[in-house]
Structure formats: structure tokens, C-alpha cells
Amino acid sequence: MLNSLWLETAYPRTELPALKEDVTCDVCIIGGGLSGLTAAYLLAKTGKHVVLLEKDRILEGASGNNTGKLTTQHDIIYAELIKKHGADAARLYYRTNDEAIRFAESIAAGDELRTSQSVLYASTADGLQQIENETAAYQEIGIHGDRKLNSELPIDILGTLTIHDQAQLHPVRFGQHLCELAMKEGAGIHEKSDVRSMDLKDKSLELASGAVVRFNELILCTHYPIEAIRGLNVLKLEVKRSYVVSAPADMPLQNQYLSTDQKKRSIRTAFIDGRPHFMLGGEGHVAGSTGDTDERYSRLAQELQTVYNLGGPAHQWSAQDPTAPDCIPYAGPISDSMPYVHICTGFRKWGMSNSLAAARIITDVITGTKNPAISLYAPDRTGFGSLLFQALKTTGYVAKEFTTGHVQRTDTPICTHMGCRTRWNKADETWDCPCHGSRFRKDGTVLEGPAVRPLDLSE
């Protein structure tokens, strides 16, 4: 499997103890990414007894395989939010994510965080029109967007839209530091602690080790919620995958860039121990929809050489992220019938700020603290119209994949989540499920959910 720049340059890693004894806690968190670790830290600070369970190692999922952009500029988002939710909601989304950036700045140490500017750029007339629409949205809700042409890139650009005072993270080092802070506040963080069964009515979990965890509140920070079928959240999330390549470079960009054109590209420089690393991302697609992922990396690697005059990539990695139908993540109680079970997902590839924001929101729900973003991010906010549309689109695709997968890919393992045939991902050496985004290692063990059981490779 390919390794990310962030994971290879992490602080020295010490394996955290697996949970092997029964425990009772105020809050149990499943998932050791940034959202789970942030929630553990914030809740432990309030005096809650927190237990976090990670089935593998912390920060090795989406949090360790992204671009590390910590920004409020989430592609062309504010014009869309105004259309779907109104100006007040769009303004609140911006403020919530801006607060997440300031929170990260307040606790980051060393080179874990670096100030930057975020730049949307267009190289086509269609892309420029999107920038103009987004500029109008910025003006309506009070975001300062600088339209002065701002680019250090060796490509033709028609226009840019810049937000100042943004940030970049080394997400793994920052997450490791966050983990230490959480443990200092009394949180129990456990790796290699795989949840095998849940009894949500009894408020208990059983681990693969046989240990039982009893809780008052449960937070699922598992990317695609294990219990997503409850409340039909499984029908509200579409999972997309994207790719990143990186190479050492003597071109330290001051800005971080995202194209608005149909050919999406994400560009930034990471500074690690004083050395710049150029990063180029893109080539997104619906998770599990293609097996020939080598070509995705190849196209990005070719651009490194032909456009940016760099050598071949020293690191290359990919990640996937669910998207809610109305563009706003889900953070909070999964349903009215179980207000003590919370989900944290749907970050739409902008999990650096949204994961921190979601953890704050869920913390405020649990502690009864007033937060206007609670209703904005509420999982039950999605109306019937958008749910029906996404359900028809997503389940239609799932039904197609279920049928054609069993007919055309009879030699591939069956996903243990809902029975779809997986597809071999040649570049990452994983079995990927095109139905709901589950991923399995070469040996069949679960890499990413919603599946919790390994593949049967003997079929």
C-alpha cells in the first residue's frame, strides 16, 4: 500500500494500548481521526470520562491521507449554501469553520501549523464565472475575498479569489499532539480495539478482545457511520475518492490553490522540518467505481514533471470522503429515538476544519452548551426532497453495482457490509466496495468502514 507524506514524517509513534478489560464511561468515541481525537480532548476538558477506540492506529485513515489544508474556502461552496440554505446559514458555516481554524492555531506546536492564503483559480471561462458567482456570495455574507490576481503557478490563469489568514496543517503531527493533550486531560485512547458488536439500547459495545464498554453517550467518528442504516443516513452519503502526489521541491509556495475548472487540481507546498514538499492533488471519482487507479497517479505524476519541472513523486496516496446532499456535514444525534448516539461524517473532502468544528458541535450537544451551529449540522435536518433525490441517485447506483458486480466480477470477494462485489484497486492494493465505500487490505482485513468484518478470500 502507498504511504502518505504525513504518515512517513509523523512524530515517533508509540503504539497505544488495546482495551482488553471492561470499562464504563461517560462518552465512548469510535474512530481515532482528527474528529474523534478533538472530541476526546474537548469532552475530557469538561470533566467527562472519555474512552476512544481505534480499530487500527490513530490518524491512519482520512486524517493521515489528505492535503492538510485548514481553510474556510471549501471550493465553490458559499454560493451553493446561499441557494440551498440562505445567507444566514452560509454565514454561520463560514464562522463555524473559521472558529475551527482559530482553535487549531491555539493548540498547535512547532511546525504542525503554518499560516497561508487560500486561492481559488480559474483557467477557463466557465471556471471564471464560478469565481464571479462565489465572489458575489462572499460579499453577501461578509467574507473578504480578494480578486487581485494572485498566483505563483507556472500556468495560465484568468482569475483568482483569495481568502487571507488561512492555515495549513501537518495533520498527523497535529493529531498526535492533540492525542497527547486529550490523554493529559484524562481521556483513554486505545488502538487495536476493534468494535465487533453494538447494543445501542443497552448502551454497550463488545470488542474483538471480548472487553465490554458501557457508555452514556456514543460518538461514531468512523468516516461512514457503522450505524448509518438507522435514520437512512446510508442513503444520504455519497463517497468520493481523490489522489495526491508529492515531491521535494525548491519552490516554496506561499499560497494554497484549488482550481474551479472541471479538471480539478489542488496545489500547495508542505514545509516539514524546514524542507518544502510540493503537493498536487485531483483525479477524483466515486469510490470503488474504478480498479485501474494507477492511471490516476500517473496523470498527476506526469504533471509534476511537465508542468512543474519536478522529478517523479516521492510519495503518493489517496483518500475518500462522504458528501451529504446539501453540502453541510452531519454532526450530532443520529436520530430523535437515540439522542445519545452521535455521528460525525460527510465532510466533503474538507475535513481539516470541519472535523474540528463537528467535534466542537457534538461536545456542545453533550454538555448542553449553546451553539448556533448545532441545528445547521444536525443529521436530521435533511428534508424529504433532498433525501429522496440522493436516495434515488445513490441506491440506484448501488443496485446497479450489486447486480453487475455479482455477474461480472464473480472472482472478487463479497463486501461484508451489504453484499456487493468488491473491486481490486491495483495502485493501493486494496479491495474497494463501490456501493458504500468500504475498503479492505490485501489480506481481507477492514481498512475503512462501514464494513466491520473482514473479507472471506476463500470464496
Side-chain angles (χ1 to χ4, degrees):
M1 180 167 297
L2 305 169
N3 200 16
S4 83
L5 173 66
W6 312 126
L7 291 169
E8 188 164 301
T9 59
Y11 293 137
R13 293 170 71 90
T14 301
E15 188 167 323
L16 300 172
L19 185 61
K20 297 181 180 180
E21 297 179 351
D22 295 355
V23 65
T24 299
C25 60
D26 295 322
V27 184
C28 178
I29 301 170
I30 303 179
L34 284 179
S35 57
L37 291 169
T38 304
Y41 169 60
L42 295 175
L43 285 162
K45 279 192 71 175
T46 71
K48 298 289 186 184
H49 179 201
V50 178
V51 171
L52 183 148
L53 307 172
E54 166 55 48
K55 67 181 177 63
D56 292 312
R57 301 198 70 185
I58 62 168
L59 301 163
E60 289 192 349
S63 294
N65 290 278
N66 53 60
T67 60
K69 292 180 176 180
L70 182 62
T71 178
T72 57
Q73 192 180 65
H74 297 171
D75 201 349
I76 300 295
I77 181 67
Y78 294 102
E80 187 69 16
L81 290 179
I82 291 172
K83 186 193 314 182
K84 289 180 179 290
H85 303 279
D88 288 344
R91 189 178 298 111
L92 178 56
Y93 180 87
Y94 167 77
R95 289 177 179 171
T96 300
N97 281 274
D98 185 65
E99 288 171 1
I101 296 173
R102 307 315 151 198
F103 164 73
E105 288 175 338
S106 72
I107 65 170
D111 65 356
E112 295 166 2
L113 184 145
R114 174 177 175 268
T115 299
S116 182
Q117 300 178 105
S118 292
V119 182
L120 289 173
Y121 73 91
S123 299
T124 67
D126 287 344
L128 184 60
Q129 182 61 56
Q130 290 193 63
I131 284 181
E132 290 173 354
N133 294 342
E134 190 74 347
T135 301
Y138 282 20
Q139 293 170 345
E140 183 174 354
I141 62 179
I143 302 174
H144 176 65
D146 189 348
R147 281 299 306 273
K148 181 181 178 181
L149 192 62
N150 186 4
S151 175
E152 311 154 88
L153 305 178
I155 56 178
D156 293 331
I157 290 177
L158 298 179
T160 61
L161 176 58
T162 302
I163 296 183
H164 299 275
D165 196 21
Q166 304 295 283
Q168 299 173 338
L169 281 179
H170 188 305
V172 176
R173 288 186 179 183
F174 176 79
Q176 289 174 295
H177 179 201
L178 193 57
C179 180
E180 290 181 2
L181 293 177
M183 290 190 293
K184 285 180 181 178
E185 295 291 343
I189 313 291
H190 301 277
E191 296 179 325
K192 302 296 182 181
S193 298
D194 194 4
V195 176
R196 287 298 174 87
S197 65
M198 294 183 177
D199 187 337
L200 297 183
K201 290 186 178 180
D202 187 49
K203 295 187 177 181
S204 66
L205 312 172
E206 184 175 356
L207 308 187
S209 66
V212 174
V213 179
R214 299 191 180 277
F215 56 84
N216 292 325
E217 304 276 350
L218 176 67
I219 307 176
L220 302 174
C221 298
T222 51
H223 198 54
Y224 205 119
I226 296 172
E227 287 291 295
I229 196 68
R230 187 179 302 279
L232 293 181
N233 284 301
V234 74
L235 302 181
K236 299 180 188 177
L237 297 171
E238 181 177 71
V239 185
K240 293 186 177 179
R241 188 160 204 85
S242 57
Y243 300 80
V244 185
V245 296
S246 173
D250 294 324
M251 48 185 305
L253 302 177
Q254 298 304 307
N255 305 328
Q256 52 193 3
Y257 298 87
L258 181 68
S259 63
T260 58
D261 303 309
Q262 190 172 14
K263 180 183 175 181
K264 284 288 184 186
R265 288 295 182 262
S266 174
I267 303 166
R268 64 160 288 195
T269 300
F271 292 86
I272 303 174
D273 300 326
R275 187 179 185 187
H277 301 259
F278 185 82
M279 293 170 51
L280 178 65
E283 295 295 316
H285 61 83
V286 175
S289 63
T290 179
D292 190 7
T293 51
D294 273 334
E295 65 179 3
R296 309 280 174 166
Y297 288 117
S298 294
R299 282 196 285 266
L300 293 173
Q302 184 177 22
E303 284 185 37
L304 279 182
Q305 297 173 315
T306 60
V307 177
Y308 298 100
N309 297 316
L310 298 173
H315 298 87
Q316 52 188 31
W317 64 94
S318 63
Q320 62 192 42
D321 210 9
T323 298
D326 62 355
C327 301
I328 297 175
Y330 295 130
I334 198 167
S335 68
D336 291 338
S337 61
M338 288 190 174
Y340 51 85
V341 180
H342 308 266
I343 61 172
C344 185
T345 189
F347 296 145
R348 192 177 155 268
K349 299 181 183 179
W350 296 104
M352 291 296 94
S353 64
N354 265 315
S355 61
L356 307 183
R360 170 67 69 182
I361 289 167
I362 293 175
T363 296
D364 289 345
V365 170
I366 290 174
T367 59
T369 304
K370 185 177 180 180
N371 184 335
I374 288 174
S375 59
L376 183 66
Y377 280 67
D380 63 356
R381 71 176 184 275
T382 313
F384 179 77
S386 58
L387 168 60
L388 178 61
F389 174 78
Q390 187 74 359
L392 289 174
K393 184 172 75 169
T394 306
T395 57
Y397 179 75
V398 168
K400 173 185 174 183
E401 275 295 335
F402 185 90
T403 303
T404 59
H406 279 275
V407 171
Q408 299 175 4
R409 299 196 301 277
T410 57
D411 59 340
T412 61
I414 296 173
C415 178
T416 56
H417 175 228
M418 292 183 71
C420 295
R421 285 281 181 184
T422 59
R423 179 182 275 110
W424 177 245
N425 178 332
K426 185 169 64 172
D428 290 348
E429 293 190 330
T430 57
W431 297 104
D432 296 353
C433 177
C435 291
H436 299 110
S438 293
R439 303 182 72 219
F440 304 84
R441 299 180 182 84
K442 191 174 184 178
D443 64 2
T445 56
V446 176
L447 179 62
E448 292 186 61
V452 296
R453 291 179 290 110
L455 294 175
D456 183 355
L457 299 180
S458 65
E459 293 180 330

